[in-house]
Amino acid sequence: MPEFNRNALEALRQPLESGEAAVARVQAHVVYPARFQMIAAMNPCRCGYLDDPALACGRAPKCAVDYQSKISGPLYDRMDLHVDVPAVSARDLSLPAPTEKSADVAARVLAAREIQAERYTRLGAPAAVRVNARADGKILEAAVALDASGRTLMERATDRMRLSARGYHRVLRVARTLADLEGAADVAGNHIAEALTYRRMSPHIAMTAAG
């Protein structure tokens, strides 16, 4: 991602949030449907060897902060899942293939989506809201009824990670989805904890929190 022009990346913020792309000109204002799933990748730094002391450049770790800071905090905030993918060793390449097939994963995802559609129909949500990603406001609150431990964990995480209101609600949606994938009726503390591990702080905030 950091290799793209920053203005082009920032233009993604509105459609990621609203599912619409607005084009404003002097004589017209047009809104196009633009709901999509964004899958993006980036190296930890420009050379890509941040985690390897033998190959990393002499500017590490500052080079990583400079490189990752090309992605703005608001854009980071609109991404639900952040997963670090370490380099694969030669030993890992020789491991047997995973036993779970793509068809098995697809079936589990379909079952979770059916659970969500049934839930939001039961809650009387608008027709456009049939998956967790579309839920907001009171509908989201009804779908995610946290127990005492879950509320405490969310409060601590909000302070520690400096979650925005947008980030807070995105964590709840991910936690609700994790529970649905397990077939769990309620969102428990372990779902909240896992959802928080997918949440990424922007580099500047991360450095402040670490300090």
Side-chain angles (χ1 to χ4, degrees):
M1 288 182 67
E3 308 301 331
F4 286 89
N5 180 279
R6 180 156 185 160
N7 290 335
L9 292 173
E10 290 299 294
L12 295 172
R13 286 167 51 179
Q14 179 188 354
L16 279 172
E17 183 71 17
S18 65
E20 297 178 334
V23 180
R25 293 293 183 267
V26 175
Q27 297 181 345
H29 183 90
V30 182
V31 177
Y32 296 99
R35 189 169 295 280
F36 62 96
Q37 182 181 53
M38 185 179 77
I39 301 174
M42 63 184 283
N43 286 327
C45 59
R46 183 172 293 280
C47 70
Y49 295 114
L50 180 66
D51 298 329
D52 190 334
L55 298 174
C57 70
R59 295 183 61 247
K62 186 179 184 303
C63 62
V65 176
D66 293 342
Y67 186 71
Q68 295 179 32
S69 294
K70 293 182 178 181
I71 311 300
S72 70
L75 185 54
Y76 273 124
D77 206 27
R78 286 164 168 78
M79 301 178 192
D80 291 324
L81 306 176
H82 298 85
V83 181
D84 289 328
V85 183
V88 179
S89 66
R91 183 176 181 179
D92 291 334
L93 291 173
S94 63
L95 293 175
T99 56
E100 189 174 37
K101 300 182 183 300
S102 296
D104 299 328
V105 177
R108 191 163 67 249
V109 171
L110 178 60
R113 290 179 67 90
E114 290 174 347
I115 289 172
Q116 293 169 30
E118 180 182 352
R119 174 191 304 121
Y120 294 116
T121 299
R122 185 175 67 253
L123 292 174
V129 181
R130 288 297 177 267
V131 292
N132 295 330
R134 303 283 186 92
D136 207 350
K138 293 187 179 299
I139 293 295
L140 180 60
E141 293 176 5
V144 186
L146 297 177
D147 57 17
S149 63
R151 284 195 299 273
T152 299
L153 182 56
M154 279 300 301
E155 290 171 1
R156 291 177 178 173
T158 299
D159 292 337
R160 175 64 177 171
M161 300 175 68
R162 302 184 186 182
L163 294 178
S164 65
R166 178 186 297 111
Y168 179 93
H169 290 124
R170 285 179 178 271
V171 169
L172 293 183
R173 293 189 191 102
V174 172
R176 178 66 268 180
T177 300
L178 292 170
D180 291 338
L181 288 168
E182 288 185 1
D186 299 318
V187 176
N190 62 298
H191 301 126
I192 294 292
E194 183 176 352
L196 287 168
T197 66
Y198 298 128
R199 198 79 202 152
R200 179 186 178 89
M201 293 183 286
S202 67
H204 293 307
I205 294 179
M207 287 186 68
T208 303

